[in-house]
């Protein structure tokens, strides 16, 4: 019974990684457009992992049984690397927020000189070291780091399960 539930572990963990990523990016966009939180430059850069990784993971899921195994491994490795990059950015951003290390000068520096005639065209700029929202003491950048790490773990489980299953055959 337990073996039948876990049989397609590779597909289930990859599918769960996709759903988790999709919910995360939709929540980020919702917090911006519905909740009114203004993302900083690092916040926007962290989203790139979802913008690049999720469509590729969806393509892998849709063509799961139709692609050669070597291509599957390459595609899954690329998706995993993209989310490793996303997790790194999340941890880096959380460290900037906690003051563990300096952030990029583009969003934590003093900027360039400004023309006072352009004051009417200003858009809000949020520093990368400013936390707009915390839940249970963790910022959104911290949650992104944890979620991206969970996605990497799920993708790793998927690759491991596929390799294990193909070794038996």
């Amino acid at each position: 019974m337990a073996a039948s539930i876990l049989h397609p572990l590779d597909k289930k963990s990859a599918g769960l990684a996709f759903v988790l990523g999709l919910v995360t990016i939709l929540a980020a966009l919702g917090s911006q457009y519905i909740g009114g939180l203004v993302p900083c430059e690092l916040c926007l850069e962290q989203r790139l992992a979802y913008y690049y990784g999720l469509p590729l993971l969806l393509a892998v899921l849709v063509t799961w049984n139709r692609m050669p195994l070597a291509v599957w491994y390459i595609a899954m490795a690329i998706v995993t690397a993209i989310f490793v990059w996303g997790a790194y950015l999340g941890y880096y951003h959380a460290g900037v927020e906690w003051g563990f290390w300096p952030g990029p000068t583009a969003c934590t520096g003093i900027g360039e000189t400004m023309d006072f005639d352009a004051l009417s065209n200003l858009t809000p700029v949020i520093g990368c070291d400013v936390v707009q929202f915390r839940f249970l003491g963790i910022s959104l950048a911290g949650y992104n780091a944890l979620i991206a790490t969970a996605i990497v773990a799920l993708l790793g489980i998927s690759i491991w399960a596929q390799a294990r299953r193909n070794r038996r055959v």
Side-chain angles (χ1 to χ4, degrees):
M1 177 78 176
S4 65
I5 292 173
L6 298 177
H7 176 61
L9 182 60
D10 52 350
K11 290 181 184 179
K12 287 182 181 179
S13 60
L16 184 58
F18 178 79
V19 170
L20 182 59
L22 185 62
V23 168
T24 301
I25 193 62
L26 290 176
L29 292 169
S31 71
Q32 177 182 351
Y33 293 110
I34 297 170
L37 296 179
V38 179
C40 70
E41 185 175 316
L42 277 177
C43 293
L44 295 173
E45 194 169 336
Q46 288 173 76
R47 293 179 185 182
L48 293 176
Y50 297 92
Y51 296 153
Y52 298 145
L54 288 178
L56 183 55
L57 183 55
L58 180 61
V60 169
L61 289 169
V62 168
T63 62
W64 192 276
N65 293 323
R66 292 181 290 255
M67 70 172 63
L69 193 57
V71 174
W72 182 89
Y73 278 117
I74 291 169
M76 288 296 283
I78 291 170
V79 172
T80 304
I82 289 170
F83 280 103
V84 165
W85 170 60
Y88 161 75
L89 287 174
Y91 287 112
Y92 173 71
H93 190 186
V96 169
E97 290 175 340
W98 283 101
F100 294 152
W101 42 76
T105 56
C107 62
T108 55
I110 57 171
E112 299 178 11
T113 59
M114 183 177 71
D115 178 16
F116 287 105
D117 294 330
L119 284 176
S120 61
N121 297 332
L122 290 179
T123 57
V125 176
I126 303 298
C128 295
D129 53 352
V130 175
V131 178
Q132 295 185 65
F133 179 78
R134 284 191 198 271
F135 180 70
L136 300 175
I138 302 174
S139 68
L140 293 178
Y143 280 111
N144 179 58
L146 296 173
I147 291 168
T149 301
I151 291 171
V152 168
L154 287 167
L155 294 171
I157 289 169
S158 179
I159 293 168
W160 170 81
Q162 181 73 260
R164 185 171 175 227
R165 185 166 44 154
N166 286 320
R167 245 184 280 143
R168 285 190 215 158
V169 174

